[in-house]
Amino acid sequence: VFSIFNDGDLTGIFQFNGSKGMKNFISSIQPKSLEDLIAINALYRPGPLNSGAAKMYPEWKKNPRLLHPLIDDILAPTYGVICFQEQFMEIFARICDGDMADADIARKLISKAANGNPEWELKIAYMRVHFIEACQRKGIWIETANNIWNEIFNHTKYSFNKSHAVAYASLAWETAWWKYYYRADFAAAFLSVHKEEWKEYIFDVVKSGIEVVPPHV
């Protein structure tokens, strides 16, 4: 089933039937587990793309990044990459000596992303100072503290919580299973539902060697 993803055979695959950029990203990772699909689904979003996390994920998957001993265990399951909202919240809570409720308030404020709004920008500036000062109290160098802030800030502007990514990736794997084992039935189902995209699906079926015949009345 994972050959569907690794070979770029993604027409009709939930959430993964997208741009050339998505196909290249999947190809660079070569997913072999549901965890890989979950990470891909969470990372190919504006937040992780802007933070640079998505770009570095394939490399860090081979050689996990160690960002700082205080938070490395939080990021270990994703090789040192911030993938999910929960990871941002754990980092923020641990560094600022708060709880997950405090961190969720911070997450909601960042995700509003009201650039140009003086009130929002002032709150973000205050939050940044609070975070950097907390890092310094924990013995984190200012350069590392700034790097952590920039990464979590850009990531959290638009990111997934893990349960969301898990649900999407699970459904993607299920559609890939149907396409791999029952390709003709899968295509027939999609052609019955996605009528406006029939050309794309017909081409995908013909390319796979399945004969397409007109309706027999």
Side-chain angles (χ1 to χ4, degrees):
V1 173
F2 281 99
S3 67
I4 293 286
F5 298 95
N6 293 324
D7 296 343
D9 186 14
L10 299 171
T11 300
I13 303 303
F14 180 72
Q15 282 290 301
F16 289 80
N17 176 27
S19 65
K20 184 179 180 182
M22 171 61 106
K23 289 184 179 180
N24 290 339
F25 184 53
I26 296 169
S27 177
S28 70
I29 293 173
Q30 290 291 294
K32 295 178 176 63
S33 67
L34 184 63
E35 287 291 339
D36 286 339
L37 297 183
I38 293 166
I40 290 168
N41 196 258
L43 285 169
Y44 205 77
R45 305 289 159 190
L49 287 169
N50 291 336
S51 73
K55 181 179 180 181
M56 296 304 300
Y57 186 81
E59 181 180 329
W60 288 339
K61 187 172 185 285
K62 297 173 186 174
N63 300 293
R65 173 180 67 156
L66 298 176
L67 190 56
H68 191 276
L70 185 64
I71 61 174
D72 284 337
D73 64 307
I74 298 172
L75 301 178
T78 50
Y79 315 105
V81 179
I82 301 172
C83 283
F84 311 112
Q85 291 174 354
E86 291 90 341
Q87 289 174 308
F88 157 77
M89 291 165 63
E90 286 187 67
I91 291 170
F92 196 89
R94 184 176 295 182
I95 288 177
C96 297
D97 293 321
D99 56 26
M100 293 294 272
D102 296 328
D104 195 40
I105 292 171
R107 179 195 64 77
K108 288 176 181 176
L109 178 62
I110 293 173
S111 66
K112 288 181 179 177
N115 292 328
N117 182 315
E119 183 180 355
W120 179 81
E121 290 184 345
L122 183 62
K123 288 179 179 178
I124 291 296
Y126 175 79
M127 184 189 298
R128 181 183 180 280
V129 170
H130 173 63
F131 182 83
I132 298 298
E133 289 178 346
C135 284
Q136 291 181 293
R137 287 195 298 272
K138 291 285 197 301
I140 301 174
W141 291 353
I142 186 68
E143 183 179 353
T144 302
N146 280 319
N147 288 339
I148 295 172
W149 168 260
N150 289 335
E151 193 166 322
I152 62 176
F153 177 72
N154 285 312
H155 174 273
T156 306
K157 280 184 177 179
Y158 187 97
S159 56
F160 272 4
N161 60 63
K162 189 171 184 180
S163 64
H164 193 152
V166 168
Y168 274 24
S170 298
L171 190 52
W173 189 89
E174 185 176 342
T175 54
W177 187 92
W178 281 104
K179 185 170 185 179
Y180 184 80
Y181 287 109
Y182 298 96
R183 185 178 287 263
D185 305 76
F186 179 81
F190 261 86
L191 286 166
S192 298
V193 176
H194 298 278
K195 297 179 177 65
E196 70 282 359
E197 298 166 336
W198 67 270
K199 289 182 181 179
E200 179 184 1
Y201 292 114
I202 287 288
F203 179 77
D204 187 62
V205 172
V206 171
K207 186 175 65 173
S208 68
I210 295 172
E211 183 184 6
V212 179
V213 295
H216 191 297
V217 296

